[in-house]
Amino acid sequence: RGKSVKSFKAKVFKTREVVIGKQIKDDATFLELQSFFGGAEEIVKMVNEHFAPTMQGSVKRFCNLNEARAKAFLARWKRHKDTHVPTIVYHGTRPENFEAINRMGLVVGGTQGVEVKNGTAYGSGVYTAIAPGIPICYTVGCNSLFVCIGLVPINVDCLTAHQINGCVIFRSAADVLPMWLIQYAGREPNTVPAKITFARFVGLVANGFDDGLPVKKQKVVYQPPTIPLQPVKVISEQGEPLTEAENRKVDRTIADLKGSVGGIKTKVLRGQPRKVRELLARAAAERRK
């Protein structure tokens, strides 16, 4: 009975998403933005390729974001088409920020009432990355990520964006557009992801994506290198333990130096290798005289 209920639930949700997907159509603005990369299908393929090294699956669902912001970005893109190249970048954040990002776009921390949450290691700006590996760390396990288009300057000396260690920091929020919000999950990368509305996406996130559809979350387990462990030699403050030859010389050393050892007993002296070696060196020096 449990299986039949679960399969019925999966069918209902799957059917609903297919219907929604047919009803949701890209407007001219999104089509023009996506055409630079070969269309939505090509962008999905690109994103799945970027996800492959992360072992986090591939795109399962996606939704378009704010249409008005997309139009403003497209106009800016056209003004800077000779100096900047549109590039797919990623941004990760907590689910509670999704609504604000859809409404306002990405905002430079410290402006428009948005606090700086994760520091400014590379200066002030909107932090993105050319691969999803780094942004995933900031999603707090919600399996959702923003796929953005950023205007990257052709001239590396241009200060509008800074690229370092796989990150792209846009000094102006107007130069980066959050285009899609995606859910990534363990599934075949060649299957077509479901396209849904932003409202439904946010609802699914709040529900932990528990919609009856099977989602395999893949954990990245760190495998330490198989290097044989070497025995650790514990060395005390007194230095390396005495060798057999040095142990045999302890009594002779005390005898040679007579009272210069300060009344230290042989048994105590054996427990002080550093002191013994100092005495051995002094004894050898005395013999050379």
Side-chain angles (χ1 to χ4, degrees):
R1 185 178 176 183
K3 284 186 178 179
S4 63
V5 171
K6 189 173 181 181
S7 73
F8 174 74
K9 189 179 177 185
K11 277 183 184 177
V12 170
F13 275 96
K14 192 171 183 181
T15 304
R16 188 185 301 170
E17 289 201 346
V18 169
V19 172
I20 290 173
K22 287 180 179 177
Q23 290 176 346
I24 300 171
K25 294 183 179 179
D26 280 332
D27 66 4
T29 304
F30 278 106
L31 289 174
E32 190 170 352
L33 286 169
Q34 294 163 6
S35 66
F36 183 86
F37 304 96
E41 289 184 13
E42 290 302 316
I43 295 175
V44 169
K45 286 180 185 177
M46 186 191 309
V47 172
N48 285 340
E49 287 174 4
H50 291 170
F51 262 92
T54 70
M55 303 291 288
Q56 295 291 319
S58 58
V59 181
K60 182 175 181 180
R61 296 183 179 92
F62 73 99
C63 64
N64 285 342
L65 296 176
N66 192 304
E67 181 184 333
R69 300 201 67 81
K71 288 180 178 178
F73 180 82
L74 181 59
R76 186 177 180 85
W77 175 353
K78 288 179 177 179
R79 289 197 303 271
H80 296 86
K81 63 181 180 181
D82 295 329
T83 55
H84 290 68
V85 177
T87 306
I88 295 292
V89 291
Y90 302 89
H91 180 82
T93 187
R94 296 171 178 271
E96 54 263 35
N97 297 326
F98 290 175
E99 293 273 8
I101 291 175
N102 182 50
R103 187 176 68 256
M104 302 168 56
L106 295 171
V107 177
V108 176
T111 66
Q112 300 186 46
V114 176
E115 296 180 14
V116 176
K117 292 287 186 181
N118 299 299
T120 53
Y122 302 124
S124 181
V126 173
Y127 280 64
T128 65
I130 57 176
I134 297 174
I136 282 174
C137 300
Y138 298 92
T139 60
V140 200
C142 68
N143 282 39
S144 304
L145 203 64
F146 285 95
V147 176
C148 311
I149 301 178
L151 297 181
V152 177
I154 297 171
N155 184 352
V156 293
D157 295 325
C158 182
L159 301 178
T160 59
H162 180 51
Q163 299 183 57
I164 183 170
N165 296 333
C167 296
V168 185
I169 302 93
F170 294 93
R171 303 306 177 194
S172 170
D175 286 331
V176 57
L177 171 75
M179 177 179 65
W180 289 349
L181 182 56
I182 65 167
Q183 177 204 1
Y184 53 90
R187 67 200 298 271
E188 291 299 322
N190 56 352
T191 53
V192 179
K195 183 178 177 184
I196 59 177
T197 63
F198 175 76
R200 173 149 173 75
F201 194 105
V202 171
L204 287 171
V205 171
N207 197 34
F209 287 111
D210 183 17
D211 58 359
L213 296 177
V215 177
K216 293 181 181 178
K217 292 184 179 180
Q218 299 183 8
K219 281 189 177 179
V220 180
V221 181
Y222 172 70
Q223 296 290 343
T226 54
I227 301 173
L229 295 176
Q230 300 295 330
V232 179
K233 193 173 185 180
V234 179
I235 301 173
S236 70
E237 292 181 358
Q238 297 296 335
E240 292 271 5
L242 291 175
T243 63
E244 289 184 15
E246 287 171 333
N247 264 313
R248 287 195 297 270
K249 293 178 182 177
V250 170
D251 293 328
R252 182 176 143 190
T253 301
I254 293 174
D256 286 348
L257 298 175
K258 296 180 181 178
S260 62
V261 296
I264 298 176
K265 295 182 180 179
T266 305
K267 185 177 180 181
V268 176
L269 194 60
R270 281 202 176 95
Q272 300 181 15
R274 186 179 295 170
K275 183 70 174 176
V276 170
R277 291 190 177 92
E278 289 176 4
L279 295 176
L280 288 175
R282 283 170 58 189
E286 289 289 333
R287 286 194 293 274
R288 284 195 296 270
K289 286 181 181 179

